Amino acid sequence: MGAKGDGSRDRRHVSAATRAAVVEKVKALEAKRDAGMVGTAGKAMLVEDWLDYWAENIASVRVRARTLATYRTMIRLHLNPYIGKRRLDQLQSEHLEQTYKQLLDKGLSPASVLRVHRMLHRALKIAMQRDRVARNVATLVEPPRQERPKTPEPLDVEECKRVLAAAEGLRNSARWTVALALGLRQSEALALQWKDVDFDRGTLSVRRGLHRVPGEGLVFTEPKTHRSRRTIAVPVPLIEALRKQRVAQNEERLVVGTEWYDWDLVFAQPNGRPLDKHSDYEAWIRLLNRAKVRHIRLHDGRHTAATLLLTAGVHPRVVMELLGHSQMRTTPDIYSHVMPALAQEAADRMAKTLWT
């Protein structure tokens, strides 16, 4: 069949009940050899062996570090314990269905199981292309139906004003103005650097995210999508708030002296180090308590910014660009709760235009 990795001859053996059957198997092997589709000789590969190889050698050069860390976790916790010891070429669709059922019974959400399925589908697709398996059995499986996302719970205008008023005088107070006025993702806000803020033009550029990657700590990563890289016009009051933020941070820097870590971050710890997502979320909850408004997710601050823009009459396309959505349909899909009111406003404007 050619040569092995060490240069020695690769010999294959087949057996069958009749000579004719053996000849057919030999012809099949020869066809694979001639087509350059010879698999590795020796012990049959297990599912866990292939998934580990795929993650470390194929996925690792295509996805971000945080995504790769998620893949490794899903393989270790959700796949290897159930199908890892099965032979890759003998994996059946029923094995996947049983695994998904066990994951759901264990308490994993349908959305999480769906992510596991999609990752496994990619890995098996490559295995099929390389003739490791005859077919991708993940294509034969119906994954759990994903639950419809919860309707965002944005703050209204009065609640926003109360939150911003409560943030006055707090350290990193502009962090919350950025959340509610610009709708940045948490990772984007925590990765903002002063070089991203143009005070003269009144703009702010989103160029990176800040994420915790196992084994590496907090690292800067590429934005979620290519549209996430964007430059936003900043309201004048927020520009002034950022100026105050910079003055306050410079004062902290003088106090700390040589112990300051210069990450150039807009929002940082008192020593210049990055803020952790968990501590940032805890600060958000304390702020909501201080403002005496209902608790919402920090990500709903992003939904708040979008809802305020849409209800103010800003075109959904513009909102899409400001938020960094990758597709136009994403904006109206997520904010369908405000679209009827906008449609009614459009009808009223048309009535005024044509009949008044």
Side-chain angles (χ1 to χ4, degrees):
M1 296 296 287
K4 298 180 181 179
D6 59 3
S8 61
R9 285 186 177 184
D10 182 0
R11 296 181 179 274
R12 304 294 172 93
H13 303 266
V14 295
S15 61
T18 65
R19 178 182 179 84
V22 169
V23 170
E24 287 300 317
K25 288 186 177 182
V26 170
K27 288 182 178 179
L29 280 176
E30 290 175 336
K32 286 185 177 183
R33 178 198 61 196
D34 297 340
M37 300 172 63
V38 180
T40 303
K43 185 179 178 181
M45 177 172 277
L46 302 180
V47 171
E48 63 181 8
D49 296 331
W50 172 250
L51 291 178
D52 288 341
Y53 178 86
W54 172 80
E56 301 305 323
N57 298 281
I58 301 175
S60 61
V61 298
R62 295 181 58 86
V63 301
R64 295 178 296 172
R66 190 166 66 101
T67 303
L68 180 61
T70 301
Y71 284 172
R72 288 169 174 159
T73 299
M74 289 194 291
I75 291 171
R76 177 171 55 87
L77 297 180
H78 305 321
L79 290 176
N80 283 351
Y82 302 99
I83 59 174
K85 297 301 182 183
R86 293 188 179 277
R87 280 181 46 168
L88 180 64
D89 59 352
Q90 294 180 356
L91 189 64
Q92 300 296 320
S93 56
E94 290 79 8
H95 301 149
L96 304 192
E97 290 165 345
Q98 292 166 5
T99 297
Y100 298 162
K101 176 65 165 56
Q102 289 173 304
L103 292 176
L104 291 171
D105 292 342
K106 192 173 70 171
L108 215 62
S109 69
S112 296
V113 177
L114 180 59
R115 285 192 288 271
V116 172
H117 170 77
R118 288 171 174 169
M119 184 207 68
L120 182 59
H121 186 284
R122 295 188 188 102
L124 292 179
K125 178 181 178 182
I126 301 298
M128 184 181 70
Q129 292 171 348
R130 299 188 179 186
D131 202 38
R132 295 281 184 178
V133 294
R135 60 182 178 179
N136 182 352
V137 296
T139 61
L140 308 176
V141 176
E142 288 289 338
R145 185 174 60 182
Q146 191 170 6
E147 297 176 356
R148 186 173 182 178
K150 293 182 179 179
T151 302
E153 299 179 356
L155 299 174
D156 59 34
V157 175
E158 291 305 317
E159 288 174 319
C160 287
K161 291 180 178 180
R162 287 164 61 182
V163 169
L164 295 182
E168 284 293 328
L170 296 179
R171 189 176 176 279
N172 285 335
S173 61
R175 161 74 180 97
W176 314 117
T177 314
V178 165
L180 297 177
L182 303 182
L184 266 61
R185 299 178 179 91
Q186 184 186 30
S187 60
E188 295 170 343
L190 298 184
L192 275 180
Q193 295 178 315
W194 287 114
K195 64 183 179 183
D196 302 322
V197 182
D198 190 327
F199 289 104
D200 296 329
R201 296 184 178 181
T203 60
L204 182 151
S205 298
V206 178
R207 294 290 177 263
R208 69 198 69 80
L210 184 68
H211 295 281
R212 183 173 294 280
V213 177
E216 300 182 37
L218 290 172
V219 297
F220 290 124
T221 62
E222 287 295 310
K224 186 176 181 181
T225 65
H226 73 280
R227 285 193 176 274
S228 295
R229 298 178 66 92
R230 59 201 188 276
T231 298
I232 305 170
V234 181
V236 174
L238 179 50
I239 285 291
E240 293 305 314
L242 289 172
R243 290 185 190 276
K244 293 179 181 179
Q245 170 73 9
R246 190 163 198 177
V247 170
Q249 191 180 91
N250 285 335
E251 293 175 353
E252 289 182 340
R253 185 170 186 164
L254 290 174
V255 172
V256 174
T258 57
E259 295 184 5
W260 178 267
Y261 292 86
D262 191 9
W263 287 55
D264 193 40
L265 292 169
V266 176
F267 307 114
Q269 298 181 42
N271 61 358
R273 286 184 178 275
L275 292 169
D276 184 80
K277 282 188 173 183
H278 295 294
S279 60
D280 184 58
Y281 176 74
E282 290 171 355
W284 169 251
I285 296 300
R286 289 195 299 270
L287 178 60
L288 296 181
N289 289 335
R290 183 174 182 175
K292 296 181 179 179
V293 300
R294 56 197 167 86
H295 282 201
I296 64 170
R297 300 175 306 163
L298 181 51
H299 194 70
D300 283 331
R302 175 172 165 83
H303 295 319
T304 296
T307 301
L308 294 178
L309 289 169
L310 289 170
T311 53
V314 178
H315 193 280
R317 178 75 190 192
V318 177
V319 176
M320 166 195 165
E321 296 292 341
L322 291 174
L323 296 181
H325 284 161
S326 59
Q327 298 179 14
M328 178 60 191
R329 64 180 178 83
T330 303
T331 304
D333 282 353
I334 295 178
Y335 304 105
S336 58
H337 61 291
V338 299
M339 301 310 289
L342 299 181
Q344 183 59 52
E345 181 180 354
D348 294 342
R349 288 185 180 182
M350 182 60 72
K352 184 176 180 181
T353 300
L354 293 181
W355 287 282
T356 300

